[in-house]
């Protein structure tokens, strides 16, 4: 149950943005040398450009309007320091939010969830929905190799992957998003859930639909 309380309180901080804001110039960081992936198509980052965002550290310090990048390959949050240098946060980060201004989308991430699938307390999860039944998305990338038909040339590229997890009654578990697994979360609400899915035309491949769905499950 303590994990659920932590998630809800941190999500509340992010959503309502009641920040005791620290001066951006006061943030402490460690200079990093960017890893160069030679001849690999794509990007190791969640968004391949600096995005304004919000950050909360483990000690409760809050920063806003920071240029951020989330390095998915190394599961590290990076900020742009003075002179355009890429920096790791010297102090552990607990939550962050980055905005894709071009699409007007914001993405919220959190760590400190129960350990699962070889991950740890520092592993970041994207928050899809928070409540009595919370949904998180673990995003990651791998470098894959392929060859064209009749060609010996090997093409390397970053490939995106994701896994969904549900936090319910303090327990974190992996979930395949389908009608059967959703009914298992609330077995006594099968009819209501079936009616809702049909009425709202929920697309399991769209995070915005999953957010609406899990907000409904929390209220059910």
């Amino acid at each position: 149950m303590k994990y659920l309380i932590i998630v809800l309180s941190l999500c509340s901080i992010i959503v309502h943005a009641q920040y005791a804001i620290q001066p951006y110039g006061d943030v402490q960081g460690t200079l990093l040398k960017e890893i160069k992936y030679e001849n690999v198509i794509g990007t190791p980052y969640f968004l391949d450009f600096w995005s304004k965002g919000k950050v909360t550290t483990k000690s409760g310090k809050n920063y806003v309007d920071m240029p951020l990048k989330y390095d998915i390959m190394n599961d590290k949050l990076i900020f742009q320091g003075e002179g355009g240098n890429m920096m790791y946060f010297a102090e552990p980060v607990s939550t962050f939010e980055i905005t894709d201004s071009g699409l007007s989308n914001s993405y919220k991430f959190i760590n400190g969830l129960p350990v699962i699938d070889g991950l740890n307390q520092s592993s970041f999860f994207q928050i899809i929905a928070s409540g009595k039944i919370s949904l998180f998305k673990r995003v990651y990338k791998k470098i894959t190799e392929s060859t064209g038909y009749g060609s010996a040339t090997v093409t390397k590229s970053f490939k995106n992957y994701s896994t969904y997890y549900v936090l319910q009654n303090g327990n974190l578990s992996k979930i395949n998003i389908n009608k059967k697994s959703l009914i298992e979360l609330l077995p006594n609400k099968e009819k209501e859930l079936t009616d809702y899915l049909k009425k709202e035309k929920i697309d399991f491949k769209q995070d915005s639909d999953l957010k609406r769905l899990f907000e409904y499950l929390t209220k059910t």
Side-chain angles (χ1 to χ4, degrees):
M1 181 60 72
K2 66 179 181 178
Y3 289 110
L4 181 57
I5 294 172
I6 290 172
V7 171
L8 291 178
S9 62
L10 288 175
C11 290
S12 177
I13 289 173
I14 295 174
V15 171
H16 297 291
Q18 300 298 322
Y19 284 89
I21 300 172
Q22 303 293 322
Y24 170 36
D26 287 354
V27 65
Q28 299 297 310
T30 303
L31 183 66
L32 91 92
K33 184 177 181 181
E34 185 176 14
I35 299 174
K36 299 294 185 181
Y37 296 90
E38 299 292 338
N39 301 317
V40 182
I41 299 171
T43 175
Y45 302 107
F46 184 75
L47 298 175
D48 193 30
F49 47 84
W50 292 107
S51 306
K52 290 293 182 70
K54 307 171 185 177
V55 177
T56 299
T57 66
K58 293 290 187 183
S59 67
K61 294 178 182 177
N62 301 290
Y63 301 93
V64 298
D65 293 330
M66 294 190 69
L68 302 172
K69 278 187 177 183
Y70 174 32
D71 179 354
I72 294 182
M73 290 294 288
N74 296 290
D75 201 13
K76 293 286 188 181
L77 183 63
I78 298 168
F79 70 94
Q80 189 176 40
E82 295 182 2
N85 291 324
M86 301 181 72
M87 311 284 288
Y88 284 135
F89 285 84
E91 185 176 351
V93 171
S94 59
T95 65
F96 68 91
E97 178 180 347
I98 55 178
T99 301
D100 183 344
S101 57
L103 298 176
S104 299
N105 290 335
S106 62
Y107 307 89
K108 304 177 182 72
F109 293 82
I110 190 172
N111 60 19
L113 298 182
V115 174
I116 190 173
D117 291 347
L119 304 173
N120 56 52
Q121 292 273 298
S122 298
S123 301
F124 284 109
F125 294 78
Q126 184 182 345
I127 303 169
I128 304 301
S130 61
K132 182 175 63 177
I133 304 176
S134 298
L135 180 65
F136 302 94
K137 182 179 181 181
R138 173 69 181 176
V139 292
Y140 58 102
K141 297 192 177 194
K142 293 181 180 180
I143 296 176
T144 61
E145 297 183 351
S146 61
T147 55
Y149 179 75
S151 172
T153 302
V154 176
T155 300
K156 296 181 179 181
S157 59
F158 291 101
K159 187 173 181 179
N160 299 317
Y161 298 88
S162 62
T163 305
Y164 290 93
Y165 294 87
V166 167
L167 184 66
Q168 184 179 25
N169 299 323
N171 297 313
L172 187 68
S173 58
K174 185 185 296 185
I175 183 172
N176 293 317
I177 306 294
N178 54 51
K179 183 179 177 181
K180 179 182 177 181
S181 63
L182 293 170
I183 290 173
E184 290 174 353
L185 294 176
L186 293 170
N188 59 332
K189 299 290 184 178
E190 180 175 354
K191 183 180 185 306
E192 292 92 328
L193 179 57
T194 299
D195 291 344
Y196 179 84
L197 293 174
K198 182 178 181 180
K199 177 183 177 183
E200 298 297 325
K201 296 180 173 58
I202 296 296
D203 184 348
F204 294 152
K205 295 181 180 180
Q206 296 296 322
D207 286 345
S208 57
D209 279 16
L210 294 179
K211 176 179 173 63
R212 289 195 295 121
L213 170 60
F214 274 78
E215 287 175 347
Y216 167 78
L217 294 179
T218 290
K219 297 174 183 177
T220 301

